[in-house]
Amino acid sequence: MANYRNKGGVAVIELNNPPVNALSFEVRSGLMNALKRAHDDKDVKCIVIHGKGKNFSAGADIKEFGGTKQQKPWITDACRLADESSKPVVAAIAGTALGGGLEVALFCHYRIGTPSCRVGFPEVQIGVLPGAGGTQRLPRLIGVKHSIDMITSGRHVMAEEALKLGILDKIVTDDIIEEGIQFAKSVVGIDVGGRILRNRKVEDAGSKVFDDEISRVKKKYKGYIAPLFCLKAIQASMQLPYDAGMEQELKLFQQLVSSGQAKAQQYTFFAERISARWQLPSGANSQTASPLPVKTAGVIGAGTMGAGIALCLITSGIPTVLVEQDQKFLEKGVKTVEGDLRGSVALKKMTAEQANKAISVLKTSVNLEDLHDVDLVIEAVYENLALKKEIFAKLDKICKSKTILCTNTSSLDIDTIAEATKRRDKVVGTHFFAPAYIMKLQENVYGKDTSAETVATVMALGKRIRKVPVLVGTCDSFVANRMLHPYATEALFLVEEGASPYEVDQALEDFGMPMGMFRVSDLSGLDIGYKVRKEAAKRRGIELTSDTRFVNGERVCLLANVLVEKGRLGIKSGKGWYNYGSPGKREATPDPEVLDTIEEYCRKYDIKKRKISSQEILERMQLAMINEGFKILEEGIVSKPEDIDIIWIYGFGWPKYMGGPMFYANEMKLKNVYRKIRDFHQNYPFSIHWTPSKLLARLSETDLPISKWTSLINSNSKL
Ligand SMILES: CCCCCCCC/C=C\C/C=C/C(=O)SCCNC(=O)CCNC(=O)[C@H](O)C(C)(C)COP(=O)(O)OP(=O)(O)OC[C@H]1O[C@@H](n2cnc3c(N)ncnc32)[C@H](O)[C@@H]1OP(=O)(O)O
């Protein structure tokens, strides 16, 4: 709703829908009635609109987009009276004015804001466009070029920049409502005609600008349709009179809002927030547990992962001690950190001043003892259980009793590592993804004794260092890598059966993955997987050779080992599944030598090859991984499907416009997913990953949407 009061001739209208004043039906109706009242009240000389609490408004209520139509009055109907009013209308902005919230402000004649306020049109991130005049009004205020930047990126613009651009008329430092009232009084009597945006003309930026922008946007936001629709709407502001432009904007909005991409992107928006609400089996949760303060941190291991993690910490202002056992490795790690900071400055992602500030809080040491006083340590040495246990036992003695000990292991048992200490409640997994500074996911893994306070601390730390933290339970390889295993295994089987690695990658990239599986393997290094496979086999008492085709009755494909044994380690050696010309180069070219190796391998084992379609490639890789996702849910390793989707979006770049693998399964209808998985199980009986999940079988009988799966899982522990 919207509250109304008359304060000495100033109508003060408060958008009231905490916590972010989303413009629900009630708020829109309230705003319309309040503006009417202010218009009709002879005593009222001017009008101020502000938001209750910390925010002006986060825009339209996204939940209302789920239906087929948004109930009238729309934002444009509610705001028409502001546009037409002869009494000055002032938007007084604190916190955020986003999307429809900014559109309300653009219907006002003036906008003032606090120094920390932010404005923006983030609609593109939820698969739509500013559909309440934003694409028509913003170009009339700040021009076409800046409007394209703001609307296609969805970025938030801080107060200072908003003032420079002309979105804000003034930045004020006192109470925003009082400032709004004073400002409104000061402009009474000044003709508002020149302030009405609909009356302004948009400068002709020419059509080349749009041709160039279409190419840029297609490259930068590959696969996303909303940014292209935004460009069409902005172009309409330049080509059409205001009312016709508004009609065109609405038409484009309606097309987008009913698209699958918008549905998936809006699902992702809420999934991220649902996933942030964690719960432990004990019942302790994000509402009940409080994080410990992390004023200082330590990172052990200055390799690629350790250096990347240290970079995340120092760029978030956390003084960090980076420890390596060897001075030479330590220096190499610091060079990596410095190089990445320079890169960020060159790419204008930070200023030189910010980079210097970050490096000033980095300390280095070759002595674990230097971690005695830090609040939290992240161990990032190579994947060896004995070594990790040794380090944790030492840390337990060195660090103060409250220090939280985290491991960046991607697969090892958290409980076994915790057993090396006398503070098992303070041991937790914080699994970062390579490159740690870039990838947003932080897969936090609790062990059986990890306390709620420890979980709360690493979840809060994740947010603070601008990651997306997701909480998972402990199991072999946790969630991300456990699901990756059947996905990657199927890719290799597909290659054995006749698809080239390049066809597999093409199918995945056409689907929207940033990189195909084989390209990713080359980037991470084929030797890493080789070592991990050998170590895992050794732990199970199995000896693997490149001739191994079955392990305990289960089909395996060790083609990657064959490549490693030929010296093809990936990008680092200049060749892997692809040819890169020379070590370290990134441009991947298909390599006939690899195809010959595959031919030879298939001849040796008398494997019949056939033509494989891109549809089969996608179905086999994705459904194998989705089936594993249901097993993970069934085992309670995560408590909700949204966790899995967020892990795939932020850990592996699953496109947001496809909503994550579990959402994708939901869209396919679970009965179809289950039927296909059962068929694959019949056709490939030697692959354990095709054994259908019991949870999937149950859910496929119900036809419940993804939003209801969690309640079914919780109400039926015996599945
Ligand atoms: C066929 C139909 C034709 C209809 C014609 C209609 C014409 C078009 C009309 C309008 C066009 C306008 C479109 C829009 O405005 S789309 C919305 C654009 N805005 C956004 O995308 C902003 C989204 N919100 C955020 O980015 C953040 O929430 C934040 C920066 C505002 C605050 O961040 P933070 O403090 O971290 O809080 P949370 O993110 O945790 O949010 C708190 C709480 O609020 C919920 N929420 C936030 N924004 C919205 C929203 N816009 N609608 C609904 N709910 C929202 C969020 O989900 C949290 O809730 P919780 O999960 O229950 O805790």
Side-chain angles (χ1 to χ4, degrees):
M1 63 174 194
N3 302 325
Y4 180 90
R5 67 191 162 110
N6 179 339
K7 190 162 182 228
V10 184
V12 181
I13 300 173
E14 180 180 64
L15 307 172
N16 178 4
N17 185 15
V20 293
N21 301 320
L23 301 167
S24 61
F25 167 73
E26 287 76 16
V27 177
R28 298 193 303 273
S29 311
L31 175 60
M32 189 162 88
N33 292 336
L35 280 167
K36 208 177 277 169
R37 206 166 146 190
H39 177 73
D40 293 344
D41 188 338
K42 298 269 175 304
D43 285 348
V44 165
K45 301 284 176 280
C46 52
I47 302 161
V48 173
I49 303 177
H50 74 97
K52 188 180 171 85
K54 285 192 276 184
N55 292 295
F56 183 79
S57 166
D61 185 340
I62 303 168
K63 290 196 180 101
E64 289 185 3
F65 292 159
T68 47
K69 74 189 224 274
Q70 206 188 33
Q71 218 178 326
K72 285 224 166 204
W74 295 344
I75 297 170
T76 41
D77 304 321
C79 291
R80 190 155 297 129
L81 271 178
D83 214 17
E84 289 166 0
S85 172
S86 56
K87 303 173 185 181
V89 186
V90 177
I93 302 172
T96 51
L98 300 173
L102 180 55
E103 284 170 317
V104 169
L106 292 183
F107 272 97
C108 300
H109 304 123
Y110 299 92
R111 287 155 295 278
I112 64 168
T114 61
S116 61
C117 79
R118 293 178 282 162
V119 299
F121 281 127
E123 284 87 341
V124 74
Q125 286 157 6
I126 52 163
V128 292
L129 54 73
T135 65
Q136 305 305 299
R137 289 177 165 259
L138 193 66
R140 286 173 160 80
L141 183 63
I142 66 171
V144 167
K145 196 174 123 243
H146 293 302
S147 300
I148 290 178
D149 163 45
M150 269 182 72
I151 296 175
T152 61
S153 71
R155 75 186 175 90
H156 293 187
V157 171
M158 305 302 296
E160 274 298 331
E161 189 187 349
L163 183 70
K164 270 195 208 134
L165 286 171
I167 298 175
L168 289 183
D169 297 296
K170 192 175 175 192
I171 295 180
V172 296
T173 47
D174 282 343
D175 175 73
I176 188 66
I177 307 171
E178 272 316 306
E179 292 272 16
I181 293 171
Q182 293 316 319
F183 187 94
K185 281 182 175 170
S186 75
V187 289
V188 171
I190 301 174
D191 179 28
V192 292
R195 307 285 314 177
I196 299 173
L197 292 177
R198 59 175 293 146
N199 295 342
R200 294 194 187 168
K201 280 218 153 6
V202 178
E203 104 277 7
D204 187 352
S207 60
K208 183 167 179 322
V209 169
F210 286 92
D211 294 342
D212 293 348
E213 283 297 325
I214 289 170
S215 312
R216 181 188 69 85
V217 153
K218 276 188 176 162
K219 202 163 148 210
K220 184 157 184 197
Y221 309 108
K222 200 177 138 220
Y224 287 86
I225 55 172
L228 293 166
F229 274 60
C230 289
L231 286 175
K232 274 195 206 167
I234 299 167
Q235 194 163 17
S237 79
M238 199 178 81
Q239 295 171 333
L240 301 173
Y242 177 78
D243 286 329
M246 289 292 280
E247 268 176 40
Q248 175 69 356
E249 178 193 84
L250 183 58
K251 215 165 95 189
L252 292 166
F253 178 89
Q254 283 170 324
Q255 283 173 27
L256 275 180
V257 83
S258 53
S259 71
Q261 289 207 355
K263 186 177 174 196
Q265 285 176 251
Q266 284 157 30
Y267 162 81
T268 306
F269 174 85
F270 289 114
E272 206 172 316
R273 281 148 184 89
I274 291 170
S275 176
R277 291 196 284 268
W278 55 266
Q279 177 155 18
L280 287 173
S282 65
N285 60 53
S286 44
Q287 304 297 309
T288 58
S290 305
L292 287 173
V294 177
K295 294 200 180 110
T296 53
V299 175
I300 305 174
T304 319
M305 286 312 288
I309 296 168
L311 190 55
C312 297
L313 294 165
I314 60 171
T315 50
S316 306
I318 303 175
T320 300
V321 187
L322 178 62
V323 181
E324 230 328 323
Q325 56 177 355
D326 179 292
Q327 184 66 31
K328 219 170 70 197
F329 289 141
L330 187 58
E331 281 165 15
K332 200 170 163 218
V334 173
K335 281 213 174 89
T336 307
V337 172
E338 288 171 344
D340 284 344
L341 284 172
R342 272 198 304 276
S344 296
V345 174
L347 289 170
K348 294 204 162 65
K349 289 191 173 157
M350 64 170 71
T351 61
E353 199 186 355
Q354 286 167 326
N356 289 339
K357 200 168 158 201
I359 207 75
S360 74
V361 296
L362 180 70
K363 287 205 179 81
T364 57
S365 171
V366 285
N367 192 348
L368 275 185
E369 302 279 341
D370 286 333
L371 297 177
H372 69 278
D373 204 26
V374 299
D375 297 320
L376 177 141
V377 179
I378 302 176
E379 162 278 307
V381 303
Y382 70 92
E383 209 64 344
N384 178 298
L385 188 60
L387 176 64
K388 288 188 192 263
K389 284 177 72 174
E390 188 189 321
I391 290 173
F392 272 70
K394 283 186 186 159
L395 286 174
D396 192 32
K397 294 205 175 81
I398 293 167
C399 297
K400 54 189 185 188
S401 62
K402 278 203 152 184
T403 304
I404 288 177
L405 306 181
C406 313
T407 169
N408 180 47
T409 180
S410 58
S411 60
L412 300 173
D413 184 40
I414 303 296
D415 294 327
T416 314
I417 297 173
E419 273 162 21
T421 74
K422 291 198 175 69
R423 57 174 92 189
R424 294 195 301 240
D425 59 320
K426 292 198 165 46
V427 176
V428 66
T430 47
H431 176 205
F432 290 80
F433 287 69
Y437 185 50
I438 308 283
M439 297 306 290
K440 300 281 268 177
L441 179 64
Q442 183 182 318
E443 189 182 32
N444 291 332
V445 192
Y446 65 87
K448 66 178 167 36
D449 297 316
T450 309
S451 71
E453 188 181 61
T454 301
V455 169
T457 307
V458 291
M459 293 298 281
L461 178 74
K463 261 199 127 174
R464 188 168 157 203
I465 63 175
R466 298 179 297 275
K467 297 288 172 213
V468 179
V470 178
L471 185 67
V472 310
T474 189
C475 63
D476 191 10
S477 300
F478 317 133
V479 174
N481 287 345
R482 175 169 161 186
M483 286 178 75
L484 199 58
H485 186 260
Y487 177 83
T489 304
E490 276 303 314
L492 289 163
F493 291 166
L494 285 157
V495 166
E496 271 189 356
E497 291 168 33
S500 79
Y502 317 120
E503 286 168 335
V504 170
D505 278 4
Q506 194 60 55
L508 294 169
E509 287 167 23
D510 288 347
F511 173 81
M513 298 303 287
M515 269 192 213
M517 219 286 298
F518 293 101
R519 226 186 262 266
V520 173
S521 307
D522 277 356
L523 187 64
S524 342
L526 302 190
D527 54 326
I528 310 281
Y530 183 88
K531 271 191 217 136
V532 169
R533 280 190 293 278
K534 289 252 165 187
E535 290 241 347
K538 208 160 105 194
R539 279 202 302 274
R540 292 165 67 196
I542 301 160
E543 187 164 357
L544 288 183
T545 71
S546 44
D547 281 329
T548 311
R549 306 255 311 126
F550 284 89
V551 171
N552 296 337
E554 203 189 324
R555 178 182 172 191
V556 293
C557 171
L558 294 174
L559 248 170
N561 288 21
V562 179
L563 295 191
V564 172
E565 281 155 15
K566 283 177 179 255
R568 306 187 71 108
L569 311 184
I571 284 185
K572 64 172 89 158
S573 68
K575 49 190 185 171
W577 290 101
Y578 290 83
N579 197 324
Y580 298 88
S582 53
K585 289 269 178 302
R586 287 291 180 100
E587 204 181 320
T589 327
D591 194 336
E593 221 176 274
V594 171
L595 298 178
D596 289 346
T597 305
I598 297 168
E599 279 296 328
E600 204 180 303
Y601 179 91
C602 292
R603 259 199 313 276
K604 186 168 169 190
Y605 300 111
D606 199 20
I607 304 169
K608 296 275 170 295
K609 297 185 82 178
R610 64 187 169 87
K611 179 88 194 118
I612 296 182
S613 68
S614 52
Q615 187 190 340
E616 180 177 346
I617 293 171
L618 289 180
E619 279 188 352
R620 280 178 55 186
M621 291 182 68
Q622 293 175 336
L623 292 180
M625 164 263 271
I626 285 169
N627 193 33
E628 198 64 35
F630 279 103
K631 290 178 189 172
I632 284 168
L633 265 175
E634 188 178 309
E635 291 166 26
I637 302 297
V638 292
S639 53
K640 38 204 178 330
E642 289 84 357
D643 293 334
I644 295 178
D645 285 334
I646 294 304
I647 284 174
W648 271 78
I649 288 169
Y650 290 107
F652 301 125
W654 181 283
K656 280 187 185 171
Y657 60 77
M658 291 287 187
M662 305 313 273
F663 175 84
Y664 189 63
N666 175 71
E667 294 301 283
M668 272 177 80
K669 298 267 175 243
L670 293 192
K671 63 175 188 309
N672 298 328
V673 172
Y674 180 55
R675 180 178 45 76
K676 281 179 192 265
I677 288 176
R678 253 188 2 212
D679 290 350
F680 284 130
H681 183 46
Q682 246 171 22
N683 294 340
Y684 299 98
F686 302 114
S687 296
I688 197 159
H689 58 247
W690 284 125
T691 312
S693 143
K694 291 192 192 79
L695 172 64
L696 170 61
R698 261 301 296 278
L699 283 168
S700 70
E701 283 164 13
T702 65
D703 206 24
L704 282 174
I706 190 163
S707 56
K708 298 276 180 325
W709 295 357
T710 308
S711 52
L712 183 112
I713 298 164
N714 292 341
S715 64
N716 290 276
S717 48
K718 271 197 184 160
L719 285 155

